[in-house]
Amino acid sequence: MRIEANYAKAAKFIQDAASQGAQLAVLPEYHLTNWVPEDPQFSDLCGQWETYLTKYRDLAKEHNICIVPGTIVERHEDVETKEWKLVNVAYFIDNQGEVLGRYQKKNLWHPERPHLTSSTNDPHEMIQTPLGPIGLLICWDLAFPEAFRELITGGAKMIIIPTFCTPYCHSLILLPTSYLLITTILAPHALTVITQGTLTDSSPYGLSLNPRSEALFLSSILTARAFENTCAVVFVNAGGPSHNSNSSSNSNSNYAGLSRVAVPFLGALGDETKDSSAEGMSIVDVDMRLVEEAEANYRVREDLKREDWWYGYRRGRGNGCGKL
């Protein structure tokens, strides 16, 4: 939980990306503190969240780059119980250092539920940014297509998902990172991806059938979400060393990595990280005209806007189903 060292590493990646013309830098979930909620220091470190949010705002303004600083776990006092609660939050910071949007993780992974507070029924909201309309999700949210649907019907055309997938996170001390940075020029976007995550979140049964079942899950679902929502999906996951520190192979890594930008027609972009679990950074040129061409072809958004669209849950119709 070397929070300052982790910040310094992230800042160096972002500075490097900005010097190469990237317009958006995205970091992984839990990149500052790791996920060690049982550690007695964890809650106190989460109490420093404002300090590091300010640091990222200053960094964005200094280097003229938009930043999604992964997630920052925040400690707040509950107004009713007066007890501390922890929330896992992603921010969009523009290139002037202004916070344009905030999203609190809704769909908590099972081990997180005793420790984190979900955003429950708060709506998923599109954020207008210098790079166009975007949406923020976090990690396990990607398993729920309803979250994507709510964001794209609100106008989002790029969905950014900081992620940290690992059962080993309770024993890790210094969180290695992999980054995705996006260089964006209005229609074509260039992104920087900084990655981290593991391939062992599948059950023992699933792993016995396919040791890379988690990689299959991630690569399949991310491409599917891009196609079925005619959007770009920016997925930034943890990356780091293998179990065998002397091994140069990624196949035995503690982390999933696989950070990428998924887009319709092409699938996964991000050559440095999309097939790797190692720490690293990809700078990705994303031409958002792909999104418009995909919509012209598949007309997903057009159908979702129809008043006579037959999926009743979308518009609060039928058998008590509410709006998304």
Side-chain angles (χ1 to χ4, degrees), residues 2 4 21-22 32 39 56-57 106 113 125 129-130 148 157 166 206 230 232 246 251 267 288 290 306 316:
R2 294 167 56 188
E4 186 58 31
L32 286 174
D39 190 294
Y56 281 119
R57 292 181 64 183
K106 184 180 299 296
R113 294 176 189 180
E125 296 181 333
T129 79
F148 288 78
K157 296 183 178 180
T166 172
T230 58
N246 296 320
S251 61
M288 291 298 286
L290 286 167
R306 285 170 44 188

Side-chain angles (χ1 to χ4, degrees), residues 188-305:
H189 292 291
L191 316 175
T192 305
V193 182
I194 304 160
T195 75
Q196 312 179 49
T198 82
L199 290 175
T200 48
D201 281 347
S202 182
S203 68
Y205 175 76
L207 292 171
S208 73
L209 295 175
N210 179 4
R212 290 187 60 79
S213 61
E214 194 70 9
L216 176 62
F217 168 77
L218 292 172
S219 61
S220 300
I221 202 169
L222 292 166
T223 299
R225 294 289 180 262
F227 271 98
E228 70 192 9
N229 295 291
T230 58
C231 69
V233 179
V234 181
F235 172 78
V236 182
N237 193 22
S242 65
H243 293 298
N244 178 1
S245 60
N246 296 320
S247 171
S248 60
S249 171
N250 285 324
S251 61
N252 195 33
S253 177
N254 298 357
Y255 297 89
L258 309 180
S259 291
R260 62 193 58 201
V261 181
V263 295
F265 303 127
L266 295 178
L269 308 176
D271 289 344
E272 297 299 321
T273 57
K274 68 179 184 179
D275 297 316
S276 174
S277 58
E279 179 177 277
M281 180 177 80
S282 283
I283 295 183
V284 185
D285 288 314
V286 180
D287 187 345
M288 291 298 286
R289 288 173 296 190
L290 286 167
V291 169
E292 304 306 330
E293 289 293 333
E295 175 57 24
N297 186 59
Y298 300 116
R299 301 186 178 182
V300 172
R301 299 166 189 267
E302 179 182 313
D303 278 338
L304 287 171
K305 290 177 181 178

Side-chain angles (χ1 to χ4, degrees), residues 3-318:
I3 188 169
E4 186 58 31
N6 288 332
Y7 168 76
K9 178 180 285 190
K12 188 175 185 302
F13 273 114
I14 292 170
Q15 290 162 3
D16 184 26
S19 72
Q20 298 181 58
Q23 291 179 279
L24 169 64
V26 185
L27 310 180
E29 184 183 23
Y30 298 136
H31 71 284
L32 286 174
T33 58
N34 207 329
W35 175 244
V36 283
E38 308 288 352
D39 190 294
Q41 299 180 59
F42 185 74
S43 179
D44 287 342
L45 288 178
C46 296
Q48 301 179 34
W49 67 271
E50 287 182 286
T51 297
Y52 288 91
L53 178 59
T54 299
K55 284 176 178 279
Y56 281 119
R57 292 181 64 183
D58 292 343
L59 192 67
K61 185 174 182 179
E62 179 183 357
H63 295 282
N64 191 33
I65 187 171
C66 298
I67 301 175
V68 175
T71 68
I72 300 174
V73 184
E74 303 177 5
R75 185 177 70 173
H76 298 276
E77 184 179 61
D78 189 286
V79 293
E80 295 181 358
T81 67
K82 303 303 181 184
E83 295 180 350
W84 292 118
K85 67 177 183 180
L86 300 179
V87 295
N88 192 17
V89 178
Y91 289 92
F92 190 98
I93 303 169
D94 73 7
N95 59 329
Q96 298 302 307
E98 297 298 320
V99 173
L100 300 186
R102 174 187 187 275
Y103 168 66
Q104 179 180 331
K105 189 173 185 179
K106 184 180 299 296
N107 296 293
L108 303 179
W109 183 235
H110 305 286
E112 294 174 319
R113 294 176 189 180
H115 307 284
L116 294 178
T117 299
S118 167
S119 61
T120 62
N121 293 319
D122 290 352
H124 292 283
E125 296 181 333
M126 180 270 289
I127 304 167
Q128 286 288 3
T129 79
L131 309 181
I134 69 100
L136 295 173
L137 296 175
I138 299 171
C139 198
W140 191 232
D141 286 328
L142 65 83
F144 297 89
E146 297 86 350
F148 288 78
R149 283 291 197 250
E150 188 168 1
L151 285 169
I152 69 159
T153 54
K157 296 183 178 180
M158 177 183 290
I159 312 297
I160 300 171
I161 314 175
T163 300
F164 182 70
C165 318
T166 172
Y168 299 104
C169 57
H170 292 275
S171 61
L172 297 173
I173 302 302
L174 178 61
L175 186 65
T177 8
S178 158
Y179 299 83
L180 180 57
L181 297 108
I182 300 176
T183 317
T184 308
I185 310 170
L186 294 181
H189 292 291
L191 316 175
T192 305
V193 182
I194 304 160
T195 75
Q196 312 179 49
T198 82
L199 290 175
T200 48
D201 281 347
S202 182
S203 68
Y205 175 76
L207 292 171
S208 73
L209 295 175
N210 179 4
R212 290 187 60 79
S213 61
E214 194 70 9
L216 176 62
F217 168 77
L218 292 172
S219 61
S220 300
I221 202 169
L222 292 166
T223 299
R225 294 289 180 262
F227 271 98
E228 70 192 9
N229 295 291
T230 58
C231 69
V233 179
V234 181
F235 172 78
V236 182
N237 193 22
S242 65
H243 293 298
N244 178 1
S245 60
N246 296 320
S247 171
S248 60
S249 171
N250 285 324
S251 61
N252 195 33
S253 177
N254 298 357
Y255 297 89
L258 309 180
S259 291
R260 62 193 58 201
V261 181
V263 295
F265 303 127
L266 295 178
L269 308 176
D271 289 344
E272 297 299 321
T273 57
K274 68 179 184 179
D275 297 316
S276 174
S277 58
E279 179 177 277
M281 180 177 80
S282 283
I283 295 183
V284 185
D285 288 314
V286 180
D287 187 345
M288 291 298 286
R289 288 173 296 190
L290 286 167
V291 169
E292 304 306 330
E293 289 293 333
E295 175 57 24
N297 186 59
Y298 300 116
R299 301 186 178 182
V300 172
R301 299 166 189 267
E302 179 182 313
D303 278 338
L304 287 171
K305 290 177 181 178
R306 285 170 44 188
E307 289 300 325
D308 63 343
W309 191 235
W310 36 78
Y311 290 109
Y313 75 89
R314 254 300 302 138
R315 299 186 184 279
R317 295 191 297 265

